[in-house]
Amino acid sequence: QVQLVESGGGLVQAGGSLRLSCTASENIFSIDAMAWYRQAPGKDREMVAVCVSAGNTNYADSAKGRFTISRDNAKNTLYLQMNSLKPEDTAVYYCNARKWVKGSWSDYWGQGTQVTVSS
């Protein structure tokens, strides 16, 4: 069981920046993929950015050029640097970890951190 704790959310004006952190309860080097998702009120949860253990990253179109996902294996921490924030980025942001466990994929989620961007 991987436990994830997010931090770094808050209220920021449009054009500002925030850095989200997600600290895992185990060595993230052993986690196959880690990602950030977000869910705005009344909308489905959507993937924002993903980082696989080999270091490859992928971003939602809405995040490309503005957000950067990174992982620090020594600190067991995943980051999401968010720049040029827009009001439409307002959502609860969730950290996700995916591991291959006993023949199937297992997903683990953090509790979420609120990001609010004012216009």
Side-chain angles (χ1 to χ4, degrees):
Q1 184 84 4
V2 180
Q3 296 180 337
L4 304 169
V5 179
E6 301 106 331
S7 62
L11 174 64
V12 64
Q13 289 187 332
S17 298
L18 283 174
R19 188 177 80 157
L20 306 183
S21 300
C22 170
T23 301
S25 59
E26 65 179 62
N27 191 337
I28 64 172
F29 185 78
S30 66
I31 298 175
D32 298 276
M34 296 191 74
W36 289 98
Y37 285 72
R38 69 185 182 187
Q39 187 167 19
K43 295 188 176 181
D44 293 334
R45 189 172 296 189
E46 63 176 359
M47 188 275 290
V48 176
V50 60
C51 181
V52 299
S53 57
N56 295 330
T57 59
N58 194 26
Y59 297 89
D61 288 343
S62 60
K64 288 179 181 177
R66 300 188 300 126
F67 294 1
T68 302
I69 189 171
S70 62
R71 53 198 288 172
D72 186 333
N73 291 341
K75 295 182 178 180
N76 296 333
T77 301
L78 180 76
Y79 300 101
L80 184 68
Q81 177 67 44
M82 304 187 293
N83 299 326
S84 303
L85 283 161
K86 305 175 182 180
E88 51 264 43
D89 295 317
T90 295
V92 178
Y93 284 69
Y94 297 91
C95 179
N96 167 267
R98 173 165 286 191
K99 290 185 66 174
W100 184 255
V101 180
K102 297 181 180 179
S104 64
W105 289 108
S106 292
D107 280 297
Y108 305 92
W109 297 91
Q111 82 286 355
T113 186
Q114 177 70 47
V115 171
T116 303
V117 184
S118 63
S119 58

